[in-house]
Amino acid sequence: MKLYNLKDHSEQVSFAQAVQQGLGKGQGLFFPEQLPKFSAQEIEALLKMDFITRSAKILSAFIGNEINDNDMHRLVQNAFQFPAPVKSVEDDIGSLELYHGPTLAFKDFGGRFMAQALVQVAADKKITILTATSGDTGAAVAHAFYHLPNIRVVILYPEGKISPLQEKLFCTLGDNIHTIAIQSDFDACQALVKKAFDDEELKTTIGLNSANSINISRLLAQICYYFEAYAQLTAKQREQLVISVPSGNFGDLTAGLLAKTMGLPIKRFIAATNANDTVPRYLETGKWEPHKTVATLSNAMDVSQPNNWPRIEEIYQREGWVLKSLGHAAVSDEVSVKTVQELDKKGYLSEPHGAIAYRALRDQLQEGEYGLFLGTAHPAKFKEVVEDILGRSISLPSALAERAEMPLLSHYMPDDFTKLRDFLISLTW
Ligand SMILES: *Cc1c(COP(=O)(O)O)cnc(C)c1O
């Protein structure tokens, strides 16, 4: 597989390099040179396969001979140890539940495949993974790499801006997992990570590696559950399929669009955000004007400068699609709350992230269409918020209940690159 840097097309790398480097020069994102296409017949055959076999084929179509078929099957099997079921919510709407993994959010798919791929391509090299999280990436990455040899993980998150349970889920592990609460917001954490990657000396000294949604292996893994969703639909539902994606850094939507470029017949997508609405405003006005990030109930989507956006622009340009055709909506906290209640009355327990995608879909779905929205997190992952909204208690799955009792092992730091750099250098193997 060949990939190029979106900021400098002359920088070309293999899959192994892209997975290990994360970002290219000048903080550019890597993008596949070839976008593999399946014929209608090939899609038909893929849809009949089981999730693991099909996913290995999809990933091999991109990655090629850098990972042989047997290895790929094993990596995918290790990574995807949980289902992605479509649950019917209304006659014309279903929820693709991506939260049945160990940290109860869709990021388990990308995080676990990335961990597997990295161990595979890095052989015995020592690696430090540095990533910023607005909530869920951290937990997924931490659990995906926990106890893996020659790899340590450092996770930055905005202090007080993620849910207490989210924090417990990844800041209680210890061993090769280090967590740092930064006294600022998510964009500041992301900026610190980018600074570290621009620091060539630091990079080589500690074998720096990224693991957030910018890593191409995560995006490729996420393509697989769009196929898995499609495989579960009836012929009628497949005819005019609309998919609504609750978006923060826009990795999930990028993966969905890549599924479409491969030939999966998806009629259109809707990009649903919370009040951090840089993309919906951009699609309306043509002007890219990020505002200051605001805190919302759907905190994993509190991103005002989505870092995967250049990849989406690239897909539209390469495929000759019109960006204006991308559906979009920004949903306020007030409407998210009402929507969680509305879904509960229909007998479907949700949480603010998924509810935002449902709201946009319900409002924009047309006669004859079938809609899927992505359920990106388990309702219990946002227990306090959901209980507050519904006025009753909901139970915790056992993975969370056990973690909730453990002490936090985080370090605390101001938004100061020098301090972070010192910390990273001081870590020993
Ligand atoms: C990360 C996250 C999102 C946003 O996904 P992106 O790929 O960053 O757009 C949505 N919902 C939940 C629960 C998340 O954790």
Side-chain angles (χ1 to χ4, degrees):
M1 178 180 194
K2 269 202 198 124
L3 302 103
Y4 58 92
N5 179 340
L6 284 179
K7 282 200 175 154
D8 174 3
H9 289 212
S10 71
E11 185 186 4
Q12 303 219 344
V13 295
S14 64
F15 175 73
Q17 287 171 303
V19 169
Q20 293 176 82
Q21 272 174 244
L23 280 167
K25 290 183 195 121
Q27 304 170 356
L29 300 166
F30 290 122
F31 193 84
E33 190 179 273
Q34 304 285 338
L35 294 175
K37 315 269 177 201
F38 291 125
S39 68
Q41 272 167 326
E42 286 169 325
I43 298 267
E44 193 72 12
L46 281 169
L47 293 173
K48 296 201 176 89
M49 296 173 189
D50 66 85
F51 186 29
I52 305 294
T53 309
R54 183 196 316 116
S55 298
K57 293 244 184 300
I58 292 166
L59 288 159
S60 286
F62 272 99
I63 297 166
N65 59 14
E66 281 188 66
I67 298 179
N68 72 40
D69 288 352
N70 285 341
D71 284 338
M72 185 61 85
H73 197 272
R74 176 176 51 80
L75 301 187
V76 172
Q77 198 153 35
N78 290 343
F80 297 178
Q81 293 183 351
F82 37 88
V86 171
K87 299 276 171 69
S88 178
V89 174
E90 290 175 272
D91 286 347
D92 57 351
I93 287 185
S95 167
L96 171 59
E97 294 184 349
L98 299 172
Y99 51 70
H100 297 289
T103 71
L104 309 178
F106 81 90
K107 293 189 175 77
D108 282 327
F109 285 98
R112 292 173 68 84
F113 178 70
M114 197 198 66
Q116 294 294 325
L118 192 57
V119 169
Q120 174 78 20
V121 301
D124 292 331
K125 248 181 278 171
K126 286 197 187 333
I127 291 170
T128 302
I129 286 170
L130 178 66
T131 186
T133 184
S134 56
D136 284 336
T137 332
V141 169
H143 282 264
F145 285 101
Y146 191 38
H147 292 326
L148 287 190
N150 295 326
I151 287 194
R152 63 186 171 202
V153 179
V154 179
I155 303 169
L156 311 186
Y157 64 100
E159 184 181 349
K161 294 200 174 72
I162 70 174
S163 91
L165 272 161
Q166 269 180 334
E167 192 174 17
K168 287 282 188 177
L169 198 46
F170 70 99
C171 301
T172 54
L173 294 171
D175 190 33
N176 60 334
I177 311 298
H178 308 270
T179 54
I180 308 178
I182 300 288
Q183 288 144 20
S184 189
D185 59 17
F186 172 68
D187 287 326
C189 297
Q190 205 153 251
L192 284 171
V193 169
K194 286 189 171 175
K195 262 189 197 152
F197 278 91
D198 270 353
D199 186 330
E200 291 300 329
E201 190 194 329
L202 180 68
K203 223 157 117 180
T204 42
T205 309
I206 63 170
L208 205 54
N209 195 288
S210 87
N212 59 16
S213 57
I214 57 184
N215 195 293
I216 193 74
S217 61
R218 292 173 45 91
L219 292 182
L220 298 181
Q222 288 172 247
I223 296 171
C224 301
Y225 53 65
Y226 286 90
F227 280 81
E228 173 67 2
Y230 198 89
Q232 293 171 61
L233 301 181
T234 64
K236 180 90 191 91
Q237 291 168 337
R238 289 176 183 179
E239 273 170 19
Q240 295 189 64
L241 176 61
V242 181
I243 301 184
S244 180
V245 185
S247 297
N249 265 320
F250 283 77
D252 227 347
L253 182 61
T254 307
L257 293 167
L258 286 173
K260 187 174 158 102
T261 68
M262 297 186 92
L264 194 65
I266 298 163
K267 186 179 172 190
R268 64 194 167 88
F269 285 92
I270 300 171
T273 70
N274 58 29
N276 295 288
D277 59 350
T278 307
V279 167
R281 281 186 293 107
Y282 172 66
L283 292 170
E284 287 293 324
T285 66
K287 294 198 187 99
W288 187 261
E289 292 175 331
H291 294 163
K292 198 171 165 14
T293 309
V294 295
T296 72
L297 292 175
S298 44
N299 63 43
M301 292 155 59
D302 290 350
V303 180
S304 59
Q305 307 202 41
N307 57 20
N308 273 299
W309 188 255
R311 285 184 170 133
I312 291 187
E313 297 252 2
E314 188 76 358
I315 293 171
Y316 273 82
Q317 205 211 317
R318 294 249 318 245
E319 295 294 302
W321 298 343
V322 185
L323 203 49
K324 277 268 168 201
S325 66
L326 177 57
H328 55 273
V331 178
S332 68
D333 271 356
E334 194 189 342
V335 172
S336 310
V337 165
K338 287 207 183 103
T339 306
V340 171
Q341 291 165 340
E342 184 183 320
L343 281 167
D344 189 52
K345 288 207 188 83
K346 294 180 200 295
Y348 190 74
L349 185 61
S350 68
E351 52 70 49
H353 303 78
I356 283 176
Y358 168 81
R359 181 76 277 146
L361 183 62
R362 183 69 285 163
D363 291 350
Q364 297 183 19
L365 200 67
Q366 289 159 17
E367 186 80 33
E369 291 178 334
Y370 183 78
L372 277 181
F373 66 97
L374 268 47
T376 44
H378 194 294
K381 193 149 189 172
F382 297 92
K383 191 173 188 291
E384 290 92 346
V385 171
V386 174
E387 289 183 338
D388 212 42
I389 292 172
L390 297 180
R392 62 180 157 84
S393 67
I394 58 171
S395 58
L396 276 185
S398 58
L400 269 182
E402 284 167 27
R403 287 265 146 225
E405 300 305 317
M406 299 181 182
L408 294 175
L409 303 171
S410 291
H411 303 266
Y412 294 82
M413 225 177 256
D415 175 10
D416 179 346
F417 180 64
T418 317
K419 292 218 161 61
L420 174 65
R421 194 179 194 281
D422 290 346
F423 174 85
L424 292 171
I425 301 245
S426 74
L427 289 174
T428 53
W429 285 100

